[in-house]
Amino acid sequence: NSAPLSGVLLVRDSRGQVAVSRYQSPRADGSVLLALAPGRYDVTALVYGFASRRLQVNAPSPTVDVALTPGGSLRIESARESRAIARLAGADGHPYVPCCEGSPLFALEGRTTRLPNVTPGAYKLELLGDDGAVVGAFPVTIAEGLEAAVRVE
């Protein structure tokens, strides 16, 4: 439906430079109006309670509808208490950014960490060392409305 939602809209130009990044307070009909210079843009909508949605648009363009879904969830289990830093990387190599953190990095807390509202797709769960290098990678597939589980050691 067209109800107003709270979240972040991130718009990058064709060079990867951020053109717009802000908390959105949409209009009463749920729409957001952006004035962009002509060109191609990568738009990511991060909305509380929904999976993030990434799409490419050309400006100027007519209205672009963005369909949001709750997505799936990921349960990460560890054999022992963990404080590791991790991220999800999509099949295209882009890091997944949980709403509305602004960073793809998250901490594993204790023995079980749960990420809700993950966009469906194939990912690699990457565990990072103190220097930021990947020290472990685990494949995971997220499906709409389901919880995927991965065990890390």
Side-chain angles (χ1 to χ4, degrees), residues 47-84:
V47 179
Y48 293 104
F50 292 90
S52 65
R53 182 68 65 193
R54 199 168 132 236
L55 63 149
Q56 291 190 332
V57 299
N58 291 310
S61 70
T63 300
V64 176
D65 290 324
V66 179
L68 300 174
T69 67
S73 61
L74 174 60
R75 187 178 70 247
I76 304 162
E77 298 173 345
S78 178
R80 58 188 176 283
E81 293 289 317
S82 177
R83 285 247 182 261

Side-chain angles (χ1 to χ4, degrees), residues 10-133:
L10 178 64
V11 181
R12 293 183 186 274
D13 65 18
S14 61
R15 298 175 318 232
Q17 300 297 312
V18 175
V20 176
S21 177
R22 66 175 186 224
Y23 174 82
Q24 293 298 312
S25 182
R27 301 186 300 194
D29 67 356
S31 67
V32 175
L33 180 64
L34 297 175
L36 298 171
R40 187 171 186 85
Y41 294 88
D42 185 57
V43 177
T44 305
L46 301 160
V47 179
Y48 293 104
F50 292 90
S52 65
R53 182 68 65 193
R54 199 168 132 236
L55 63 149
Q56 291 190 332
V57 299
N58 291 310
S61 70
T63 300
V64 176
D65 290 324
V66 179
L68 300 174
T69 67
S73 61
L74 174 60
R75 187 178 70 247
I76 304 162
E77 298 173 345
S78 178
R80 58 188 176 283
E81 293 289 317
S82 177
R83 285 247 182 261
I85 300 298
R87 69 177 169 221
L88 282 179
D92 61 1
H94 282 86
Y96 178 80
V97 179
C99 181
C100 292
E101 304 300 321
S103 170
L105 303 180
F106 56 92
L108 300 184
E109 299 288 338
R111 290 184 168 197
T112 303
T113 300
R114 187 171 181 274
L115 296 179
N117 307 115
V118 179
T119 303
Y123 296 92
K124 281 190 303 183
L125 172 66
E126 298 176 334
L127 301 181
L128 307 178
D130 293 337
D131 60 356

